[in-house]
């Protein structure tokens, strides 16, 4: 009855959204008022992220039964949102109860899907891993439609959409899927002994692909710091995010984060807090030319603040990982590949992306899709 009553209250009080271009000199101000429910902050931030809006400031308040947030946003060129159609679309997405389901844009496929089979992979990052995975799929007559791959802290995670090479449709035969799983796991294991490799089908439902990658890497415990041999002495400690977790009041834990600013940073942090089952009651976000500062008052869904040193350390590690994962992407760098038999191959160089793109273009059917902003 409590859940049905909550649904009734939400239907009677749909989200109210105000988009204002006069309140701030250098940003469009979006105010969202709604009945409070767990996960609503993430869903609102995801709508703004899906629209490729850059959040420069935010003020969050969701204590009690009502959710009231203010976001200062700009487009990719750092300008206010002036396009009437874009403004109307943002308002419809945020005000519609139906829109508070994750967007289909850039999402993991629903299982079963007539179009493709969505495969999730985790394993130890190493040179040539991606090309080996694609080679196995090619040998099994699977066509790689698209894929998104993240690497962090010696671990790799991917969501890959494949189809049957002959029919162009999803692969549903259980025996064939079992063979794909067995062979891919063998590739992903490599010589690793500390962690296992996994291959699973994406769970039913529509989930943001980027959120799903966060969940996969979180479940794989990529937040546990591992130093690669010979690389620790070259790591710039000052470039790492600074996260503090303090219980300065009895009812709340205050989480403060200072890091290099980048697109989708707020989404990544709120996504991780939500998946760790923490609720943000109050918060603020402020970005400068190079740095972002975020502060949140949180409690666990059971109503308790962080209650032990071990829990506090885990929160710090997980938020550091959330900030760093996407920073391992190549950003807006453009990659061009030319075939030239005269040029001799050069030895691979270590980058923040890890090893996963070694020998990438050995796979003929692989197409990489990235979400840049």
């Amino acid at each position: 009855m409590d859940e049905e009553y909550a649904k009734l209250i939400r239907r009677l009080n749909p989200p109210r959204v105000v988009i204002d271009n006069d309140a701030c000199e250098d940003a469009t101000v979006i105010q969202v008022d709604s009945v409070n429910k767990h996960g609503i902050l993430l869903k609102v931030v995801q709508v703004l992220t899906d629209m490729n809006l850059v959040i420069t400031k935010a003020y969050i308040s969701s204590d009690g039964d009502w959710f009231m947030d203010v976001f200062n946003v700009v487009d990719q060129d750092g300008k206010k949102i002036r396009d009437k159609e874009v403004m109307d679309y943002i308002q419809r997405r945020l005000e519609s109860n139906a829109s508070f389901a994750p967007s289909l844009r850039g999402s993991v496929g629903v299982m079963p899907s007539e179009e493709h089979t969505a495969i999730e992979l985790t394993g130890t990052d190493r040179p040539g891993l991606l090309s080996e995975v694609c080679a196995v799929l090619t040998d099994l007559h699977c066509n790689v439609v698209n894929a998104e791959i993240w690497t962090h802290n010696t671990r790799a995670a991917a969501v890959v959409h494949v189809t049957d090479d002959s029919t162009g449709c999803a692969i549903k035969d259980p025996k064939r899927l079992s063979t794909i799983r067995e062979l891919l796991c063998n590739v992903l294991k490599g010589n690793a002994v500390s962690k296992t490799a996994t291959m699973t089908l994406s769970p039913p439902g529509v989930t943001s692909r980027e959120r799903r990658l966060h969940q996969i890497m979180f479940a794989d415990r990529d937040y546990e710091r591992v130093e690669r041999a010979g690389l620790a002495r070259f790591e710039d400690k000052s470039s790492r995010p600074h996260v503090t977790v303090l219980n300065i009041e009895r009812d709340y834990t205050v989480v403060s984060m200072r890091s290099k600013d980048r697109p989708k940073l707020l989404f990544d942090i709120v996504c991780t807090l939500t998946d760790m089952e923490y609720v943000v009651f109050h918060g603020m976000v402020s970005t400068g030319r190079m740095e972002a500062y975020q502060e949140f008052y949180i409690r666990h869904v059971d109503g308790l603040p962080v209650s032990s040193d071990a829990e506090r350390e885990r929160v710090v590690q997980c938020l550091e990982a959330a900030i760093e994962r996407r920073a391992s992407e190549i950003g807006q760098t453009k990659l061009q590949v030319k075939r030239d038999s005269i040029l001799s191959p050069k030895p691979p160089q270590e980058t923040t992306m890890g090893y996963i793109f070694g020998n990438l273009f050995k796979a003929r059917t692989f197409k990489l899709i990235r979400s840049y902003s």
Side-chain angles (χ1 to χ4, degrees):
M1 289 297 294
D2 290 343
E3 179 60 26
E4 292 301 317
Y5 178 73
K7 290 180 180 178
L8 174 62
I9 294 298
R10 289 197 292 270
R11 284 197 297 269
L12 294 176
N13 297 275
R16 293 190 293 272
V17 178
V18 176
I19 302 178
D20 189 345
N21 269 319
D22 298 324
C24 179
E25 182 180 351
D26 55 5
T28 298
V29 178
I30 300 178
Q31 180 174 330
V32 182
D33 297 338
S34 172
V35 173
N36 193 18
K37 61 179 179 178
H38 180 55
I40 189 172
L41 174 60
L42 173 60
K43 292 172 183 177
V44 170
V45 171
Q46 186 172 329
V47 169
L48 301 179
T49 301
D50 285 350
M51 295 295 297
N52 285 325
L53 301 179
V54 177
I55 301 172
T56 59
K57 284 184 172 59
Y59 305 93
I60 300 162
S61 179
S62 59
D63 215 342
D65 298 328
W66 206 253
F67 169 89
M68 295 175 288
D69 283 14
V70 178
F71 301 91
N72 288 19
V73 303
V74 294
D75 63 17
Q76 294 297 295
D77 297 322
K79 299 178 180 179
K80 291 185 178 183
I81 314 304
R82 300 286 189 182
D83 190 299
K84 183 68 163 55
E85 290 186 6
V86 173
M87 293 170 66
D88 289 344
Y89 180 76
I90 294 170
Q91 186 148 1
R92 288 197 306 271
R93 282 286 309 275
L94 291 174
E95 286 185 341
S96 169
N97 283 331
S99 76
F100 275 7
S103 167
L104 288 173
R105 181 176 177 270
S107 62
V108 171
V110 180
M111 185 193 73
S113 168
E114 296 298 327
E115 297 180 355
H116 58 252
T117 300
I119 296 175
E120 299 176 354
L121 306 170
T122 57
T124 302
D125 187 20
R126 70 174 192 278
L129 175 61
L130 184 58
S131 64
E132 292 178 34
V133 168
C134 290
V136 168
L137 291 172
T138 300
D139 289 343
L140 294 171
H141 305 289
C142 301
N143 180 55
V144 179
V145 180
N146 58 61
E148 186 157 354
I149 303 97
W150 287 4
T151 66
H152 176 250
N153 200 19
T154 77
R155 302 298 293 169
V159 176
V160 184
H161 291 177
V162 300
T163 59
D164 181 272
D165 201 24
S166 58
T167 66
C169 298
I171 301 168
K172 297 182 180 179
D173 178 49
K175 185 176 180 180
R176 187 177 177 189
L177 289 172
S178 178
T179 301
I180 293 172
R181 177 181 290 108
E182 180 182 356
L183 294 179
L184 284 180
C185 283
N186 287 339
V187 170
L188 290 165
K189 285 177 183 176
N191 296 322
V193 294
S194 59
K195 290 191 177 182
T196 59
T198 62
M199 191 228 93
T200 61
L201 297 179
S202 293
V206 180
T207 304
S208 160
R209 181 158 52 195
E210 293 172 330
R211 182 179 182 189
R212 189 69 195 125
L213 283 163
H214 275 300
Q215 292 171 332
I216 293 169
M217 300 203 85
F218 173 71
D220 195 44
R221 303 175 71 90
D222 75 310
Y223 51 84
E224 295 177 343
R225 200 78 186 167
V226 176
E227 293 185 347
R228 283 178 175 164
L231 295 180
R233 64 179 183 273
F234 298 112
E235 184 179 16
D236 182 5
K237 302 291 185 181
S238 64
S239 66
R240 296 203 58 209
H242 180 65
V243 181
T244 61
V245 179
L246 300 172
N247 286 12
I248 62 173
E249 296 185 19
R250 186 182 64 179
D251 295 333
Y252 298 104
T253 295
V254 181
V255 178
S256 302
M257 289 153 286
R258 193 179 298 275
S259 66
K260 183 179 178 181
D261 190 26
R262 62 166 175 77
K264 302 185 181 181
L265 179 60
L266 178 59
F267 170 81
D268 293 338
I269 289 171
V270 174
C271 175
T272 298
L273 288 172
T274 303
D275 289 334
M276 293 180 71
E277 299 191 319
Y278 289 102
V279 179
V280 176
F281 288 89
H282 304 282
M284 62 83 66
V285 175
S286 179
T287 63
R289 294 184 60 185
M290 296 295 293
E291 189 177 64
Y293 178 78
Q294 305 189 41
E295 182 176 280
F296 300 117
Y297 285 64
I298 67 170
R299 288 201 297 254
H300 197 263
V301 290
D302 61 10
L304 298 176
V306 172
S307 56
S308 69
D309 290 341
E311 183 183 4
R312 182 176 293 104
E313 179 62 21
R314 184 168 178 265
V315 171
V316 170
Q317 289 179 338
C318 290
L319 290 175
E320 287 177 344
I323 294 170
E324 291 175 338
R325 285 176 194 137
R326 197 187 299 271
S328 295
E329 295 190 26
I330 56 178
Q332 297 187 10
T333 301
K334 295 181 180 179
L335 182 64
Q336 296 181 334
V337 179
K338 295 183 178 180
R339 294 176 180 269
D340 193 336
S341 59
I342 300 177
L343 296 178
S344 59
K346 296 180 180 179
Q349 296 180 347
E350 175 67 16
T351 70
T352 56
M353 289 190 63
Y355 293 117
I356 197 168
F357 290 98
N359 301 321
L360 168 63
F361 295 96
K362 286 183 180 178
R364 292 172 297 173
T365 60
F366 182 78
K367 179 182 179 183
L368 178 66
I369 289 184
R370 292 277 183 173
S371 299
Y372 300 135
S373 55

